[in-house]
Amino acid sequence: MKYILQRLAFYLFTAWAAITLNFFIPRLVPGDPVQSLITKYQGQLSTKSIQSLYVLFGLDKDKSLWSQYIDYWKQLFHGDLGLSFTFFPAPVSQVIGQALPWTLLLVGITTVISFVLGTSLGVVAGWRRGSWADGLLPVTTFFSSVPYFWLGIIAIYLLAGPDSFFPSSGGFDSGLVPAWDQYFIPSAIQHSLLPALTILISSVSGWILSMRNMMVTVSSEDYITVAHAKGLPERRVAVAYAARNALLPNISGFALALGFIVGGTLLVEIVFSYPGLGYTLLQGLGAKDYPLMQGVFLVITISVLVANLLADIAYLLLDPRTRKEG
Amino acid sequence: MTIPTSSIEQVIPGQGSMAQPEEPRPGRSRRQRFLFVRNKKAATGLVILAGYTIVGVIGPWVAPYDPSARGNDLVQGPSAAHWFGTTHLGQDVFSQILVGTRSVMLVGFLAGAIATVLSVLIGVTAGYLGGKTDDSLSMLTNVVLVIPAVPLMIIITSVLNNASDMLVALVIGLTSWSWNARVLRAQTLSLRRRDFVEASRASGESTWRIIVFELMPNLTAVIASGFVGTVIFAVLSEITLAFIGVVSNSGWNWGTILFWAQGQQALGQDAWWWFVPAGLAIALLGTSLSLINFGIDEFVSPRLRSAGKTKLRTASGRTVRMRIGFTPVLENSPLPKTHAVVATPVMREAK
């Protein structure tokens, strides 16, 4: 319990750091960004949003940096992330709210499949070293060096097309309205297959490699020799003795990997015009929509922190040593 | 993208890193260096990397065309005149790749260097000094580690309008040092109680001398592998940033090519030559760097080498599968009579 509380305190601190970073980034912009935005949107911005822009960029001359910071926090606690320019006059929180489920489902499901698949393949590759399984290594090395989005482009080129089963863009058929019914869900699944496959292929190799190396290291431990000497079936030694212990570093490596996977997913969404956070971010980038970009960053960071906390809990359940300390 | 592929980087909580670098023996160092190059993976990786470096240096001079010059052949497939075809403006894709190599290599290595220097400063200091310093530096490292780097980079570079290569390298370097710092801290922790460090402390060497001359040589492999890993990450990040168009598009790099290919509907026009070469160039560079990392890894921890031929035939005609860490078991050997009796409790457990 103490362990979980410690981790929770750490993630709260990190969230605070990320939010503070988010507060300071727009204040790095040289010159008067608001003026250039007003010129760009020629009269489309209301006085209220111009005012909120000045507050966002910290150009509100009447207030000190500290009181701006306090205001920023007040806004956040009200769930107010400002107004988006791209989807004017929709508030950022609403735009993100629409995009978030797509990304969460896509990343969540593919990450879990990729972790399970990669780890099991890694167990085989590490246990059967010196057999055909070593042939996996060069292939996985190659795939782990390819950018996600390029693989997505190739996948669209090879597999998608007007006559193909796989649609090349979007999250659902344009004729449908998002709802939980028998028309929308199959269409959404069909549209997510190719992006999911792309993320899966790019991310699975990392798990295979790290698991293989851990298996190799673990399999020369004394307790493995003991298990062999006891005459236990090979399978049981591999799974219950070696793999179980080799799994731990892989789970603690989850924290780092997740950041990478999320980053890669954003790009895959852009390639597939998938209606998630990545595509929203791209639209924000094109229009220099700072409130939207910052909102996306904030939401991604917080989701990653929550996922990390879940991984920590899983680690706690798997590793008795951490339990004893607590 | 890349998850650290090196087992040196896998830190088991409380135990430090998996692979402990051997302590250097002065007389053997030259032979060991040759050993590293003799490793097939490392050698292949180094040769490919050297090729890229040469192209990075001479690319702009040997490119057959000016990469930005427009031509009359629009979206043409590969031909003798344009090896990798042309773009929507008739630009030569082959020249774009050649010219773009310099920016990719420059940003990759610069960002790698910045991140490595930071990680050594922070990681080794935290690990060696311990106490309050360690607590605050570890906290900093972990915070930077969990904040997703790619979105952060995208936001920062988009705020810095039209960032140049140098600025991009700086941003990537500043956001990607944390993992190596954590690995180095763990490694330093396990080194600092070793006898040779205690001895130099007892003989009154200054802290900085101990860190630079006693600890650092033992961390070389970890630092090198971290550097290579960061270069891979930096290259991918730079290309990502260029692909979504947040950096300056005046220069060429492989991401810029992909940016135009995506923006100008290369897919819809079946113009595979537009995006395939850039992607393969990235993949080959990434593979070569990973191979170097495998080489470093296997050099430090020989267990990880892919085993060669492992099935052996004994004189009596039996086949034995050799595996490191396992005692070979002769298959179809008659079980000793006593075996069954001994095995009973184990058998029960096996169920």
Side-chain angles (χ1 to χ4, degrees), chain A residues 129 148 217 228 260 288, chain B residues 1 18 161 233 303 305:
Chain A
R129 195 155 64 106
Y148 282 34
T217 314
H228 273 297
F260 280 125
K288 294 266 169 210
Chain B
M1 265 172 238
M18 291 301 307
N161 267 319
F233 179 69
R303 269 184 216 153
R305 289 174 196 159

Side-chain angles (χ1 to χ4, degrees), chain B residues 128-141:
Chain B
Y128 185 74
L129 294 181
K132 285 257 162 54
T133 323
D134 181 22
D135 288 344
S136 47
L137 288 179
S138 303
M139 188 72 167
L140 177 70
T141 312

Side-chain angles (χ1 to χ4, degrees), chain A residues 38 138 143 164 174 277 317:
Chain A
I38 294 173
F143 275 116
S164 156
S174 47
L277 286 177
L317 296 177

Side-chain angles (χ1 to χ4, degrees), chain A:
Chain A
M1 208 50 219
K2 191 181 158 212
Y3 174 76
I4 289 287
L5 285 180
Q6 268 175 358
R7 298 308 295 168
L8 197 65
F10 168 70
Y11 289 125
L12 283 177
F13 178 76
T14 311
W16 168 78
I19 291 170
T20 307
L21 198 63
N22 219 356
F23 170 78
F24 280 108
I25 288 174
R27 286 164 178 73
L28 291 172
V29 192
D32 188 344
V34 183
Q35 268 312 323
S36 65
L37 283 168
I38 294 173
T39 352
K40 193 176 164 197
Y41 281 89
Q42 295 177 351
Q44 287 173 38
L45 295 177
S46 68
T47 7
K48 189 168 171 264
S49 59
I50 290 175
Q51 186 53 40
S52 79
L53 273 180
Y54 272 108
V55 174
L56 173 78
F57 284 101
L59 296 167
D60 200 348
K61 306 259 171 2
D62 314 335
K63 286 184 180 169
S64 66
L65 197 64
W66 177 248
S67 63
Q68 288 174 28
Y69 186 61
I70 302 282
D71 285 351
Y72 180 72
W73 270 101
K74 273 186 199 154
Q75 280 201 338
L76 274 187
F77 274 115
H78 288 104
D80 180 6
L81 296 168
L83 295 178
S84 159
F85 316 154
T86 334
F87 302 93
F88 196 74
V92 169
S93 46
Q94 190 189 329
V95 177
I96 290 179
Q98 279 166 4
L100 187 62
W102 294 97
T103 303
L104 276 188
L105 283 177
L106 187 67
V107 182
I109 296 176
T110 41
T111 306
V112 170
I113 297 179
S114 149
F115 180 77
V116 172
L117 191 71
T119 306
S120 354
L121 282 176
V123 169
V124 178
W127 195 247
R128 305 232 154 262
R129 195 155 64 106
S131 67
W132 59 269
D134 274 353
L136 276 175
L137 292 183
V139 181
T140 52
T141 313
F142 180 81
F143 275 116
S144 63
S145 334
V146 182
Y148 282 34
F149 64 86
W150 185 71
L151 212 60
I153 297 180
I154 297 294
I156 296 179
Y157 181 71
L158 293 179
L159 297 175
D163 320 317
S164 156
F165 170 75
F166 297 110
S168 63
S169 71
F172 49 89
D173 272 335
S174 47
L176 295 170
V177 185
W180 292 105
D181 57 25
Q182 74 273 34
Y183 305 109
F184 179 72
I185 290 171
S187 165
I189 291 176
Q190 191 186 359
H191 278 76
S192 63
L193 280 179
L194 218 48
L197 206 65
T198 310
I199 302 170
L200 192 64
I201 292 179
S202 328
S203 59
V204 80
S205 49
W207 300 121
I208 298 184
L209 282 172
S210 60
M211 193 64 190
R212 179 220 175 233
N213 284 356
M214 278 314 297
M215 277 299 279
V216 170
T217 314
V218 164
S219 60
S220 60
E221 296 281 343
D222 288 344
Y223 56 80
I224 301 293
T225 316
V226 172
H228 273 297
K230 284 202 288 188
L232 293 181
E234 175 95 359
R235 211 187 145 76
R236 191 175 150 86
V237 181
V239 175
Y241 284 69
R244 207 178 152 189
N245 286 290
L247 190 63
L248 290 174
N250 230 19
I251 290 188
S252 57
F254 196 79
L256 179 79
L258 198 67
F260 280 125
I261 296 175
V262 168
T265 311
L266 297 182
L267 270 291
V268 170
E269 284 180 2
I270 291 173
V271 169
F272 284 93
S273 310
Y274 197 77
L277 286 177
Y279 191 54
T280 312
L281 182 64
L282 181 75
Q283 287 168 313
L285 284 175
K288 294 266 169 210
D289 186 347
Y290 292 109
L292 185 61
M293 281 151 48
Q294 292 206 304
V296 169
F297 172 66
L298 212 60
V299 170
I300 293 174
T301 309
I302 290 172
S303 322
V304 168
L305 293 185
V306 171
N308 267 308
L309 187 63
L310 294 179
D312 277 340
I313 295 175
Y315 195 92
L316 191 71
L317 296 177
L318 284 170
D319 189 354
R321 280 173 298 187
T322 44
R323 245 177 320 195
K324 215 169 74 184
E325 284 166 15

